[in-house]
Amino acid sequence: MGKTRITPKVLHDEHKFCAGCGHGTVFRMVAEVLEEKGLDSKAIGIVAVGCSGIMVDSFGIDWIQAQHGRAAAVATGVKRVRDDNFVLTYQGDGDALCIGIAETLNAAIRNENITTIVLNNGVFGMTGGQMSSTTLIGQKTKTSTKGRSAELHGQPLDIFNLLKNFNVAYLARGTITNFKEINKTKNYIRKAVEAQLNNKGYSMVEIVAPCPTNWKLDPVKCMKKIEDEFIPYYKLGEFTNGEVI
Amino acid sequence: MKKKLMKGNQALAEGAIRAGCRFYAGYPITPQTEIVEYMSDRMLEVDGNYVQAESEIGAISMVYGAASCGYRAMTSSSGPGFVLKQEGISYIASAELPAVIINVQRIGSGLGDISPAQDNYILSVKGGGHGDYRPIVYAPSSVQENLDYTLLAFEKAEQYRTPVVLLSDGAIGQMMESVRIPDMQQHDPNKFEWALKGKQSGKNKIVTSNMYYHEQDKYGRYTQDAYAAYGRYLADKVKNIQENEQLYEEKYLDDADVVLVSYGISSRICKAAIETARKEGIKLGLIRPISLFPFPNKAFDKLSDSLKGIICVEMNSWGQMVDDIKLAVNGRIPVHMYASSAYIPDEDTIIKMAKEILNSDAKEVL
Ligand SMILES: Cc1ncc(C[n+]2csc(CCOP(=O)(O)OP(=O)(O)O)c2C)c(N)n1
Ligand code: SF4
């Protein structure tokens, strides 16, 4: 008999993401880590708009649905009053790194004791695949139909180039292209969670993951695109200069 | 109850502390900065939370988070900053959370300037954030009232689960008066069934737009019925507030020939003008709206059709409250406007206008 994978109990319903979407894998990993740490009854999560907003229907922790980009500030308000609770934000790149970059950076600068999970799929998924801060040079989207150009649109944003200069607790970037990477990424999430539990301050895990619907590629080709195009630019690993747990 | 000489902004901040507010996030802008400064110290003394936010948007978002957890939470600003808060106020209204937001008015659109004015009436009273909501709005007219109505704001915010705006202004914020300081109230953030604390034992909770509480079909789609139910729910909430929460002060309405309508700092000049005018035999009265939403229509219902006129007295350039007065009297009584612009209204102009109305020389405001 093979091993049976048990779905975390905190996931009480089928998720509603597109087939092959990175959110499916990532939110499952987050659920597993929360359950492993006994945090599902203590967690308060903040999502905003974007496809991550769909997860509140199937992911059974307390949630606040914040304004687009403001999750880190909402999380600040929550953590300051409920410091015994575990507080996380779960965001897309458009949410955390475009519209919400001020809130994200300032939460990190204050070293708020919160954990941010950012799913970087290089597009605005929910609104139909427009360009994001993280869209790669040459990548075609609905609002960069000839491909992103540095002259017209600026360089893709590697948020860790900024965050690693601050005294934050933990930063790591992973992906989900294969089991090995999934396990590594899950370990990053685990460490980010522990950083908060040990009152070390701000932690972020960015996960490079596919949006098959808007990349217009099947899930297998998506994984190859991540390996060939995204990972050379968005380097994987742990990045913190500040004290690492 | 202690008595103390305090600045309006400080009295307001102390009112919040006395109400049991234990979360405040702010960002400096004149003429409300004393609130930010006062809270940065005072919250430490009462073991509360103060955050100097990165922006007004950050501050209101933090309030959204703390309010979701059942805490009494507040933020404050002035015109250019208050407008940035509207995004968050709309979300707080939609999620039906209590929160208190202060707007200490300064003059001008754009950057304007730091001197006091009453030109944020429309912004604060008619909304500004997106969607179908109406915050309760109180307009204090003294340092004492800055404190008292902050306490009431927290109470009503919780009763109706709505953001409440305190529309003060730079003059009241900066002046010093003697205030009675009430005892400290205790607030238990865990007493609300809707407050987030982690699901512990039982079901998880989701703070989101109240639209989503209305019925969905088996595919999770919102049906026409659900949208209609949502609309009815919002309408009832607004009607309920309109019916039960009108607050105003009246003076000499029984025998007045001309009635002044004025709120906040301007109403104080009106009170003085009434007494001066009465010495000359000119019978002036006053309606001072304290709740700007709901507008105190009940006070206007009492006015007799034979009243010679109403003068709206406001410190802005064209009269932002005058539309509400006209609706309240519904054409029964002529409405005139004294918009004193950047200057505190003066008694002489008020009395001169009243005389013109009595001599039938005055033109109604369009
Ligand atoms: C203030 C505001 N602006 C724009 C939108 C529309 N909007 C919804 S989702 C979204 C993009 C989300 O992209 P991302 O955060 O990358 O998440 P994804 O859907 O890719 O997971 C936008 C622009 C909004 N809801 N609110
Ligand atoms: S649009 Fe993209 S990000 Fe959104 S659920 Fe579908 S695949 Fe996932």
Side-chain angles (χ1 to χ4, degrees):
Chain A
M1 276 246 292
K3 274 192 186 168
T4 314
R5 278 194 77 110
I6 299 170
T7 312
K9 280 204 264 335
V10 70
L11 300 180
H12 57 73
D13 218 338
E14 295 271 306
H15 73 65
K16 294 172 182 166
F17 303 115
C18 307
C21 172
H23 278 300
T25 313
V26 173
F27 103 143
R28 164 87 182 232
M29 288 195 286
V30 174
E32 285 176 359
V33 172
L34 290 187
E35 199 154 275
E36 192 184 290
K37 299 275 177 196
L39 290 174
D40 53 315
S41 59
K42 274 184 106 175
I44 299 178
I46 294 93
V47 288
V49 303
C51 292
S52 45
I54 315 172
M55 74 194 276
V56 301
D57 292 339
S58 46
F59 197 125
I61 60 169
D62 277 4
W63 287 109
I64 301 171
Q65 205 254 314
Q67 321 96 286
H68 191 21
R70 319 296 176 219
V74 175
T76 300
V78 173
K79 187 68 185 184
R80 295 285 181 115
V81 295
R82 294 231 183 260
D83 54 359
D84 287 341
N85 287 84
F86 178 80
V87 180
L88 81 152
T89 75
Y90 184 101
Q91 304 179 261
D93 45 82
D95 187 37
L97 309 181
C98 299
I99 192 169
I101 189 164
E103 286 74 15
T104 302
L105 283 183
N106 279 291
I109 290 167
R110 291 190 303 267
N111 202 22
E112 292 291 340
N113 197 26
I114 60 172
T115 301
T116 285
I117 309 290
V118 179
L119 186 133
N120 176 358
N121 57 18
V123 287
F124 288 4
M126 174 65 91
T127 41
Q130 297 80 19
M131 185 176 67
S132 161
S133 299
T134 56
T135 298
L136 295 173
I137 298 296
Q139 189 182 340
K140 290 181 176 157
T141 72
K142 286 257 182 70
T143 51
S144 57
T145 49
K146 297 188 173 57
R148 179 179 187 146
S149 99
E151 291 72 36
L152 273 181
H153 309 114
Q155 287 289 338
L157 173 65
D158 181 342
I159 188 69
F160 291 155
N161 282 341
L162 293 168
L163 290 184
K164 70 186 179 192
N165 301 308
F166 306 146
N167 190 26
V168 296
Y170 184 75
L171 303 173
R173 183 183 290 125
T175 187
I176 53 167
T177 45
N178 56 49
F179 274 125
K180 206 169 135 228
E181 294 299 338
I182 287 176
N183 280 336
K184 265 199 224 165
T185 302
K186 192 168 159 188
N187 206 32
Y188 296 153
I189 296 174
R190 214 176 264 129
K191 284 189 176 179
V193 167
E194 280 161 4
Q196 183 179 154
L197 294 178
N198 295 330
N199 291 319
K200 296 285 183 189
Y202 187 81
S203 54
M204 178 192 277
V205 181
E206 182 187 306
I207 299 146
V208 183
C211 170
T213 304
N214 289 304
W215 291 5
K216 306 204 181 335
L217 290 175
D218 70 45
V220 177
K221 290 205 177 97
C222 279
M223 296 308 178
K224 182 141 173 40
K225 183 181 172 78
I226 291 178
E227 278 166 358
D228 294 349
E229 298 172 30
F230 275 82
I231 300 310
Y233 191 83
Y234 293 113
K235 299 273 186 297
L236 305 179
E238 295 168 296
F239 292 86
T240 316
N241 271 1
E243 194 194 351
V244 183
I245 37 146
Chain B
M1 217 179 256
K2 278 194 304 188
K3 266 194 141 186
K4 215 178 158 187
L5 190 66
M6 284 185 115
K7 233 183 177 181
N9 283 336
Q10 294 171 339
L12 187 161
E14 186 60 31
I17 299 281
R18 299 277 153 172
C21 169
R22 290 296 176 270
F23 185 89
Y24 171 87
Y27 189 87
I29 180 172
T30 311
Q32 62 87 46
T33 304
E34 291 85 357
I35 304 174
V36 187
E37 292 171 351
Y38 192 89
M39 284 300 195
S40 71
D41 267 346
R42 195 74 176 97
M43 276 297 181
L44 291 176
E45 291 168 7
V46 296
D47 203 17
N49 299 280
Y50 162 84
V51 190
Q52 179 153 341
E54 61 270 26
S55 68
E56 288 85 353
I57 298 175
I60 189 74
S61 305
M62 291 169 193
V63 165
Y64 182 27
S68 297
C69 299
Y71 278 73
R72 286 195 159 178
M74 184 173 102
T75 182
S76 60
S77 195
S78 187
F82 184 81
V83 78
L84 293 176
K85 295 193 189 292
Q86 298 279 8
E87 174 199 79
I89 297 174
S90 170
Y91 270 73
I92 290 169
S94 181
E96 296 201 278
L97 295 171
V100 174
I101 304 102
I102 312 294
N103 185 358
V104 183
Q105 299 175 86
R106 60 190 249 170
I107 193 170
S109 41
L111 182 58
D113 210 336
I114 60 173
S115 62
Q118 291 180 309
D119 57 10
N120 274 204
Y121 181 92
I122 289 182
L123 171 70
S124 310
V125 176
K126 304 293 180 182
H130 57 287
D132 237 2
Y133 74 94
R134 304 232 40 194
I136 294 174
V137 182
Y138 292 126
S141 71
S142 65
V143 175
Q144 181 71 54
E145 286 193 354
N146 257 8
L147 188 152
D148 293 344
Y149 286 107
T150 304
L151 270 105
L152 187 69
F154 278 104
E155 241 174 69
K156 293 296 168 186
E158 276 162 24
Q159 182 182 339
Y160 290 96
R161 292 180 59 180
T162 178
V164 177
V165 173
L166 199 84
L167 187 62
S168 189
D169 68 70
I172 304 167
Q174 298 297 324
M175 68 170 62
M176 288 186 94
E177 287 178 324
S178 163
V179 274
R180 294 177 309 279
I181 301 175
D183 294 340
M184 201 69 92
Q185 290 178 18
Q186 299 303 327
H187 171 73
D188 174 12
N190 294 321
K191 71 179 179 189
F192 303 114
E193 48 68 37
W194 50 259
L196 300 188
K197 26 189 172 305
K199 72 182 172 191
Q200 291 158 0
S201 60
K203 248 174 86 68
N204 68 312
K205 301 191 187 87
I206 304 172
V207 168
T208 185
S209 165
N210 73 357
M211 193 168 117
Y212 295 101
Y213 309 145
H214 293 272
E215 266 173 60
Q216 301 166 19
D217 67 12
K218 64 178 177 180
Y219 307 106
R221 289 181 307 220
Y222 300 97
T223 60
Q224 286 304 322
D225 282 355
Y227 284 125
Y230 175 60
R232 279 195 300 274
Y233 175 80
L234 291 181
D236 285 349
K237 183 164 175 163
V238 169
K239 267 189 221 142
N240 193 6
I241 292 172
Q242 256 161 346
E243 190 48 40
N244 297 308
E245 299 303 331
Q246 296 185 21
L247 276 184
Y248 58 91
E249 184 188 347
E250 59 174 73
K251 258 187 150 24
Y252 303 123
L253 289 194
D254 295 343
D255 71 340
D257 292 322
V258 173
V259 166
L260 310 177
V261 183
S262 189
Y263 74 93
I265 189 69
S266 305
S267 68
R268 294 173 67 142
I269 312 299
C270 291
K271 281 183 188 168
I274 291 172
E275 301 303 337
T276 311
R278 283 196 171 249
K279 282 183 199 136
E280 290 182 36
I282 301 166
K283 288 186 191 153
L284 293 188
L286 172 76
I287 295 174
R288 170 169 84 94
I290 298 173
S291 61
L292 299 181
F293 178 77
F295 195 71
N297 290 317
K298 288 177 185 176
F300 292 83
D301 292 345
K302 296 185 197 169
L303 300 180
S304 122
D305 289 358
S306 60
L307 200 73
K308 294 287 185 305
I310 285 175
I311 312 175
C312 173
V313 183
E314 270 183 279
M315 238 178 109
N316 52 47
S317 53
W318 50 271
Q320 299 196 357
M321 185 171 64
V322 76
D323 291 355
D324 280 337
I325 297 172
K326 283 184 154 191
L327 276 176
V329 295
N330 197 18
R332 292 194 298 122
I333 302 157
V335 180
H336 301 261
M337 183 71 222
Y338 171 25
S340 67
S341 187
Y343 309 101
I344 301 268
D346 67 87
E347 281 190 45
D348 293 348
T349 308
I350 293 170
I351 295 169
K352 188 169 153 268
M353 278 186 78
K355 282 180 184 161
E356 283 167 7
I357 292 169
L358 292 170
N359 295 335
S360 308
D361 291 344
K363 269 214 189 94
E364 266 188 75
V365 65
L366 290 178

